[in-house]
Amino acid sequence: SLTEIPDNAFEYCKKLIKVEINSSLNSIGRQSFSCCDSLKEINLPASLLSIGFQAFVNCTSLEKIAIPNSCKCSERVFEGCNNLAQIEIPDSWTEIPEAIFSHCEILEEITIPNGIIKISDSAFENCSSLYNVYIPDSVEHIGKRVFANCTTLSRIRLGLKLRYLGKECFDHCYNINTVFWDPVACEGAS
């Protein structure tokens, strides 16, 4: 049975609405479903180990995603999924990849699991509906522009182990009114 969806396999399949994947699938290749404008639903099996670069980029109808615990994602996997309202980040992750959820414009809340050590550059950039962020104490590194242009963001709680805060991390976050943080240990940019 099929264990891999190859690179670009369903790219630009504009009328694709739903994908049901068998339980033997191990990997989804680069840009496999990119620009599938009508894709609303995809159930990722527990057997999935990896999702390639931009696999679901600009799937503008995708509404929710649950990433299996054993799965690792490349950069920009869900970038531009502007109807993505629900995401489940695996508890097994230690890093949130670069720009993985950037431009998810209706995403209001995220739960960053305790155990995440690094949030890579631009991970949530331009998530303009995101209003509340709780960074767990396990996070040591927040890259540049991680929450830039999250214009609805109003409350932030930064973890106690934070050692690096990247440039422009909260750039153009006009509505921030509350930040909870002990910045004594942080070495990053201001």
Side-chain angles (χ1 to χ4, degrees), residues 5 21 25-30 32-33 44 48 50-52 55-56:
I5 295 175
I21 298 175
L25 188 73
N26 292 327
S27 68
I28 296 175
R30 298 171 56 95
S32 292
F33 295 95
L44 303 176
L48 191 63
S50 66
I51 301 175
F56 296 96

Side-chain angles (χ1 to χ4, degrees), residues 13-108:
C13 290
K14 300 283 189 180
K15 295 188 181 200
L16 183 62
I17 295 171
K18 182 178 181 179
V19 176
E20 294 183 24
I21 298 175
N22 72 38
S23 61
S24 65
L25 188 73
N26 292 327
S27 68
I28 296 175
R30 298 171 56 95
Q31 299 176 327
S32 292
F33 295 95
S34 67
C35 301
C36 292
D37 298 347
S38 301
L39 183 62
K40 283 187 174 191
E41 185 179 344
I42 185 163
N43 296 321
L44 303 176
S47 62
L48 191 63
L49 301 175
S50 66
I51 301 175
F53 177 77
Q54 291 186 331
F56 296 96
V57 71
N58 295 324
C59 289
T60 55
S61 296
L62 192 62
E63 296 172 350
K64 64 181 179 177
I65 197 76
I67 302 165
N69 227 13
S70 59
C71 186
K72 301 292 181 202
C73 288
S74 294
E75 297 85 15
R76 302 181 182 278
V77 171
F78 300 102
E79 180 180 27
C81 294
N82 55 11
N83 274 313
L84 193 58
Q86 282 184 280
I87 57 172
E88 290 180 32
I89 298 172
D91 291 334
S92 61
W93 281 12
T94 57
E95 179 179 345
I96 297 176
E98 180 180 328
I100 188 168
F101 299 111
S102 67
H103 296 274
C104 291
E105 296 168 1
I106 70 165
L107 183 65
E108 293 181 353

